[in-house]
Amino acid sequence: MAVLTDRPAPVARRGDRGTRARVNRVLGYAVLIFFGLVFLYPFVIQLGNSLKTEPDAAANPLSPFPDSLTLAGFERIFSGTNFPLWLGNSLLVTVLVTLGRVFFDSLAGYALARLRFRGRAGLFAAVIAVMAVPGVVLLIPKFLVLKQIGLYDSYAGLIVPLLADAAGVFIMKQFFESIPVSVEEAARIDGAGVFRTFWSVVLPMARPALITLTILSFQGSWNEFPHSLVSVQDPDLFTLPRGLADLVSGSLGKGTQYPLKLGAALLATIPVAVLFVIFQRYFVRGANEGADKG
């Protein structure tokens, strides 16, 4: 009889485990929502202050709610600053740099993944070593090289040094190594050369990695500030980060001018945010595949 009375106990334990799992799931979502709100709060403040009057923003900079909505800050951005010029420069530099990185990083990654040549291992080790070097260490050498070869203070100086990067080469190499060699062998049997095999067969299969590289390249070049700081000094060549830094430093006179500065920063953030939202699922898929294959 004692055995019969003890039988319901496992059922109760299973019910307790189910309840604990639900509680843990709710707590997990609550923690994620909390940190999500903490992460979004600065953007809400940015948006709120860009719609305030200047006295309201100066008096209540941490309040996301304006006393009265106004677009005066945005109007002054386009009429009282060189924001349209900075925007055009950033678009030009970002598009060319993104295209260049996708092309050259893919070529270099494919060469390191598939071609067998002397010094291949050492070259890949050098790529890894470059990734470990802080970018600030290279600022003075960049300035000296650009001055020496005559690219300083020009669009070429803004674009050419950024056309390839070590991180992109590493991402593409890791992805190309996951593609079966048999696919390329079939293309070579049909008479395709190395570049034709790369361009027509292998590259279309690397779509997730290409999208990941495109997003990272666009974001990196759009937000690039240190390089523009050492490559140009002509205000007509300023990109958005350089122009925004000029605004923050007080180039328009005295006062906090929070609506103007935060409105300009908000407009500069929109393109990258839109790009990431559109291609988010491809970005996550490419990152996960790269991690599995690495």
Side-chain angles (χ1 to χ4, degrees):
M1 295 298 294
V3 175
L4 293 176
T5 55
D6 290 338
R7 284 182 180 176
V11 177
R13 285 196 295 270
R14 284 196 297 271
D16 292 341
R17 285 197 296 269
T19 301
R20 284 198 298 270
R22 286 192 293 270
V23 170
N24 291 336
R25 188 180 300 111
V26 170
L27 290 176
Y29 282 124
V31 171
L32 290 175
I33 292 173
F34 171 76
F35 282 106
L37 293 176
V38 170
F39 179 79
L40 289 174
Y41 188 63
F43 296 98
V44 175
I45 291 178
Q46 184 184 50
L47 176 61
N49 278 281
S50 65
L51 298 174
K52 292 179 180 180
T53 61
E54 190 165 337
D56 183 19
N60 305 292
L62 296 182
S63 172
F65 305 107
D67 291 339
S68 60
L69 293 175
T70 177
L71 297 177
F74 290 102
E75 292 174 359
R76 192 179 175 198
I77 289 172
F78 289 96
S79 62
T81 71
N82 287 327
F83 187 89
L85 175 64
W86 303 336
L87 179 62
N89 289 338
S90 283
L91 286 174
L92 174 65
V93 172
T94 299
V95 170
L96 293 180
V97 168
T98 300
L99 292 175
R101 284 188 178 181
V102 170
F103 181 67
F104 292 118
D105 290 355
S106 299
L107 281 177
Y110 182 75
L112 290 173
R114 287 292 189 261
L115 303 184
R116 298 295 180 263
F117 54 90
R118 183 175 299 178
R120 173 173 168 269
L123 185 59
F124 182 62
V127 171
I128 300 297
V130 170
M131 293 174 60
V133 177
V136 67
V137 176
L138 303 176
L139 291 182
I140 294 179
K142 278 184 179 181
F143 169 76
L144 296 176
V145 171
L146 291 173
K147 286 285 287 186
Q148 194 69 26
I149 63 178
L151 294 182
Y152 181 74
D153 220 14
S154 67
Y155 284 109
L158 280 172
I159 296 169
V160 173
L162 301 178
L163 288 178
D165 70 320
V169 174
F170 177 79
I171 291 173
M172 297 309 299
K173 175 186 179 296
Q174 296 299 103
F175 196 94
F176 285 139
E177 287 183 340
S178 68
I179 297 177
V181 181
S182 58
V183 176
E184 301 170 59
E185 292 175 347
R188 293 193 183 98
I189 291 174
D190 291 337
V194 175
F195 184 80
R196 180 63 181 275
T197 302
F198 159 76
W199 186 259
S200 300
V201 179
V202 179
L203 199 60
M205 301 176 65
R207 183 181 177 187
L210 289 175
I211 293 176
T212 299
L213 180 58
T214 300
I215 294 175
L216 293 177
S217 299
F218 187 94
Q219 181 185 28
S221 54
W222 182 266
N223 296 326
E224 181 64 47
F225 172 70
H227 176 70
S228 66
L229 191 63
V230 300
S231 60
V232 295
Q233 65 177 357
D234 184 355
D236 290 337
L237 297 175
F238 282 4
T239 56
L240 270 177
R242 184 72 184 274
L244 293 178
D246 195 50
L247 287 181
V248 173
S249 65
S251 62
L252 295 182
K254 298 180 180 180
T256 58
Q257 304 185 71
Y258 287 147
L260 172 66
K261 297 174 183 178
L262 292 177
L266 178 65
L267 294 176
T269 306
I270 291 175
V272 177
V274 171
L275 183 74
F276 186 82
V277 169
I278 294 175
F279 294 104
Q280 180 182 13
R281 60 192 182 98
Y282 298 105
F283 178 79
V284 174
R285 184 191 308 170
N288 289 337
E289 290 182 3
D292 293 339
K293 292 152 189 165

